[in-house]
mmCIF file of all heavy atoms in Angstrom:
data_model
loop_
_atom_site.group_PDB
_atom_site.id
_atom_site.type_symbol
_atom_site.label_atom_id
_atom_site.label_comp_id
_atom_site.label_asym_id
_atom_site.label_seq_id
_atom_site.Cartn_x
_atom_site.Cartn_y
_atom_site.Cartn_z
ATOM 1 N N CYS B 51 -21.304 26.191 -60.552
ATOM 2 C CA CYS B 51 -21.853 26.030 -59.210
ATOM 3 C C CYS B 51 -23.024 26.996 -59.091
ATOM 4 O O CYS B 51 -22.821 28.218 -59.077
ATOM 5 C CB CYS B 51 -20.797 26.319 -58.159
ATOM 6 S SG CYS B 51 -21.420 26.346 -56.465
ATOM 7 N N ALA B 52 -24.204 26.436 -59.012
ATOM 8 C CA ALA B 52 -25.413 27.237 -58.902
ATOM 9 C C ALA B 52 -25.807 27.369 -57.446
ATOM 10 O O ALA B 52 -25.837 26.386 -56.702
ATOM 11 C CB ALA B 52 -26.535 26.592 -59.699
ATOM 12 N N ALA B 53 -26.118 28.593 -57.052
ATOM 13 C CA ALA B 53 -26.476 28.865 -55.662
ATOM 14 C C ALA B 53 -27.935 29.262 -55.554
ATOM 15 O O ALA B 53 -28.462 29.973 -56.415
ATOM 16 C CB ALA B 53 -25.597 29.983 -55.113
ATOM 17 N N THR B 54 -28.575 28.788 -54.521
ATOM 18 C CA THR B 54 -29.924 29.244 -54.215
ATOM 19 C C THR B 54 -29.836 30.277 -53.098
ATOM 20 O O THR B 54 -28.891 30.314 -52.331
ATOM 21 C CB THR B 54 -30.822 28.083 -53.760
ATOM 22 O OG1 THR B 54 -30.245 27.493 -52.582
ATOM 23 C CG2 THR B 54 -30.922 27.022 -54.834
ATOM 24 N N GLY B 55 -30.831 31.126 -53.040
ATOM 25 C CA GLY B 55 -30.822 32.177 -52.041
ATOM 26 C C GLY B 55 -30.621 33.521 -52.706
ATOM 27 O O GLY B 55 -30.069 33.620 -53.797
ATOM 28 N N ARG B 56 -31.011 34.551 -52.014
ATOM 29 C CA ARG B 56 -31.000 35.880 -52.610
ATOM 30 C C ARG B 56 -29.740 36.675 -52.278
ATOM 31 O O ARG B 56 -29.611 37.805 -52.694
ATOM 32 C CB ARG B 56 -32.227 36.661 -52.136
ATOM 33 C CG ARG B 56 -33.538 36.088 -52.665
ATOM 34 C CD ARG B 56 -34.719 36.811 -52.042
ATOM 35 N NE ARG B 56 -34.831 36.521 -50.620
ATOM 36 C CZ ARG B 56 -35.750 37.061 -49.836
ATOM 37 N NH1 ARG B 56 -36.596 37.933 -50.312
ATOM 38 N NH2 ARG B 56 -35.800 36.736 -48.561
ATOM 39 N N THR B 57 -28.828 36.064 -51.531
ATOM 40 C CA THR B 57 -27.666 36.820 -51.070
ATOM 41 C C THR B 57 -26.358 36.311 -51.660
ATOM 42 O O THR B 57 -25.304 36.491 -51.073
ATOM 43 C CB THR B 57 -27.586 36.763 -49.539
ATOM 44 O OG1 THR B 57 -27.486 35.395 -49.128
ATOM 45 C CG2 THR B 57 -28.795 37.407 -48.918
ATOM 46 N N PHE B 58 -26.418 35.690 -52.822
ATOM 47 C CA PHE B 58 -25.218 35.114 -53.444
ATOM 48 C C PHE B 58 -24.120 36.150 -53.557
ATOM 49 O O PHE B 58 -22.950 35.859 -53.296
ATOM 50 C CB PHE B 58 -25.591 34.575 -54.823
ATOM 51 C CG PHE B 58 -24.423 34.057 -55.612
ATOM 52 C CD1 PHE B 58 -23.822 32.851 -55.278
ATOM 53 C CD2 PHE B 58 -23.918 34.777 -56.689
ATOM 54 C CE1 PHE B 58 -22.752 32.364 -56.003
ATOM 55 C CE2 PHE B 58 -22.848 34.296 -57.428
ATOM 56 C CZ PHE B 58 -22.265 33.092 -57.077
ATOM 57 N N SER B 59 -24.451 37.359 -53.945
ATOM 58 C CA SER B 59 -23.444 38.394 -54.170
ATOM 59 C C SER B 59 -22.772 38.867 -52.887
ATOM 60 O O SER B 59 -21.801 39.619 -52.938
ATOM 61 C CB SER B 59 -24.057 39.586 -54.895
ATOM 62 O OG SER B 59 -25.101 40.144 -54.119
ATOM 63 N N SER B 60 -23.247 38.428 -51.741
ATOM 64 C CA SER B 60 -22.632 38.813 -50.481
ATOM 65 C C SER B 60 -21.560 37.828 -50.028
ATOM 66 O O SER B 60 -20.947 38.028 -48.977
ATOM 67 C CB SER B 60 -23.687 38.959 -49.387
ATOM 68 O OG SER B 60 -24.255 37.694 -49.073
ATOM 69 N N TYR B 61 -21.312 36.786 -50.803
ATOM 70 C CA TYR B 61 -20.336 35.774 -50.441
ATOM 71 C C TYR B 61 -19.114 35.814 -51.333
ATOM 72 O O TYR B 61 -19.224 35.968 -52.557
ATOM 73 C CB TYR B 61 -20.944 34.372 -50.543
ATOM 74 C CG TYR B 61 -22.047 34.094 -49.552
ATOM 75 C CD1 TYR B 61 -23.380 34.188 -49.933
ATOM 76 C CD2 TYR B 61 -21.758 33.738 -48.239
ATOM 77 C CE1 TYR B 61 -24.400 33.930 -49.029
ATOM 78 C CE2 TYR B 61 -22.763 33.480 -47.339
ATOM 79 C CZ TYR B 61 -24.083 33.581 -47.728
ATOM 80 O OH TYR B 61 -25.080 33.330 -46.826
ATOM 81 N N THR B 62 -17.955 35.670 -50.715
ATOM 82 C CA THR B 62 -16.767 35.286 -51.454
ATOM 83 C C THR B 62 -16.942 33.819 -51.830
ATOM 84 O O THR B 62 -17.355 33.004 -50.997
ATOM 85 C CB THR B 62 -15.507 35.449 -50.592
ATOM 86 O OG1 THR B 62 -15.381 36.822 -50.204
ATOM 87 C CG2 THR B 62 -14.268 35.003 -51.346
ATOM 88 N N MET B 63 -16.650 33.490 -53.081
ATOM 89 C CA MET B 63 -16.844 32.111 -53.554
ATOM 90 C C MET B 63 -15.498 31.462 -53.847
ATOM 91 O O MET B 63 -14.558 32.119 -54.320
ATOM 92 C CB MET B 63 -17.699 32.102 -54.810
ATOM 93 C CG MET B 63 -19.108 32.654 -54.610
ATOM 94 S SD MET B 63 -20.054 31.719 -53.403
ATOM 95 C CE MET B 63 -20.137 30.104 -54.196
ATOM 96 N N GLY B 64 -15.434 30.179 -53.566
ATOM 97 C CA GLY B 64 -14.180 29.468 -53.795
ATOM 98 C C GLY B 64 -14.412 28.099 -54.390
ATOM 99 O O GLY B 64 -15.525 27.558 -54.358
#
Side-chain angles (χ1 to χ4, degrees):
C51 173
T54 60
R56 293 174 292 178
T57 59
F58 175 73
S59 60
S60 67
Y61 294 99
T62 300
M63 298 300 297

